[in-house]
Amino acid sequence: MISARKALQQLRDGNRRFVAERQRDGRTGATRREEVTERQEPFAIILGCSDSRVPAEIVFDQGLGDLFVIRVAGNIVAPSQIGSVEFAAERFGTRLVVVMGHTQCGAIEAAIEAITSTHGPASRNQRSIVNRVRPTIESLVTTELAKDPVRLRREAMRANVRASVNHLRHGSEVIERLSDEGGLAVVGAELDLMTGEVIFFDGVVD
Ligand SMILES: [Zn+2]
């Protein structure tokens, strides 16, 4: 484990490099930084998990100002996530929203545990995340899938992404209006940690 002091130092060092390396790749370098300081026009909104292995900008090879990213454990949809999507779609005209789940997701694991062991996390705050995942995957745990833990986790992750997509599509008048009239699309996706590959569930977007 890295101590808090050491961790803070690593962040400081990293930021110093970020500021100093003017020759850094174009999308994350000083020129791009100056370009997007006054104005941003992100081309996609990504709702992803907080997991340290799934940073959207790296996974999609994008730079500053390209993606409007919302990250929360289990890529769940609560009012603040909906509000963030609305904000970017209205302010910046972003028309693609991607909900991205991933393999080996701790939040999915915690939700399965809560169902199978009949007691969830002790913390009310952590329960609020698990409880958003749980109803969607509860039925899966009682099927044949339960015998195959790897597949169960993958299908639970997919079901959770689909639930988040549905919630975004239908849980907001703003998003619904922009979808009907403004060409906004909400799609689900999954990232395989091992290969790094992202597969989109709804392939075709008009
Ligand atoms: Zn996760």
Side-chain angles (χ1 to χ4, degrees):
M1 191 191 290
I2 291 179
S3 70
R5 179 189 293 270
K6 182 95 196 300
L8 189 56
Q9 192 54 50
Q10 279 183 209
L11 292 181
R12 284 199 170 111
D13 292 346
N15 182 244
R16 203 167 292 127
R17 292 193 299 275
F18 175 70
V19 173
E21 287 175 17
R22 297 190 68 88
Q23 73 280 23
R24 182 184 281 266
D25 166 77
R27 299 302 287 177
T28 55
T31 311
R32 178 65 178 161
R33 195 164 67 231
E34 282 153 24
E35 219 173 84
V36 295
T37 296
E38 297 297 335
R39 187 167 174 278
Q40 61 173 317
E41 211 171 323
F43 69 85
I45 300 164
I46 314 287
L47 170 60
C49 183
S50 300
D51 193 293
S52 65
R53 301 161 295 182
V54 300
E57 292 86 349
I58 295 179
V59 167
F60 293 114
D61 191 26
Q62 300 300 321
L64 301 175
D66 293 332
L67 302 177
F68 189 91
V69 180
I70 305 147
R71 290 178 68 181
V72 57
N75 38 269
I76 56 162
V77 173
S80 56
Q81 280 81 49
I82 299 180
S84 300
V85 171
E86 289 179 353
F87 180 82
E90 283 198 318
R91 291 277 175 115
F92 313 129
T94 314
R95 286 297 174 263
L96 177 66
V97 183
V98 179
V99 177
M100 184 169 74
H102 66 99
T103 56
Q104 314 281 348
C105 183
I108 297 294
E109 191 64 46
I112 291 174
E113 256 175 48
I115 295 166
T116 53
S117 70
T118 69
H119 59 84
S123 148
R124 183 165 54 90
N125 304 307
Q126 290 181 46
R127 267 204 313 277
S128 76
I129 294 173
V130 164
N131 287 343
R132 284 204 182 258
V133 177
R134 197 176 161 150
T136 309
I137 67 165
E138 204 132 40
S139 61
L140 290 176
V141 176
T142 58
T143 64
E144 283 289 290
L145 275 175
K147 292 179 189 157
D148 185 342
V150 175
R151 266 196 66 210
L152 172 65
R153 276 151 185 77
R154 194 171 273 251
E155 291 308 321
M157 176 265 285
R158 288 173 178 160
N160 182 53
V161 167
R162 289 201 176 92
S164 288
V165 166
N166 270 333
H167 196 158
L168 280 181
R169 279 179 184 161
H170 305 296
S172 151
E173 282 174 22
V174 173
I175 296 172
E176 215 151 38
R177 175 173 47 79
L178 287 172
S179 301
D180 290 345
E181 302 160 16
L184 181 129
V186 186
V187 301
E190 64 178 82
L191 165 66
D192 188 313
L193 285 192
M194 182 69 87
T195 64
E197 191 183 359
V198 175
I199 294 167
F200 293 91
F201 296 172
D202 318 85
V204 183
V205 174
D206 292 333

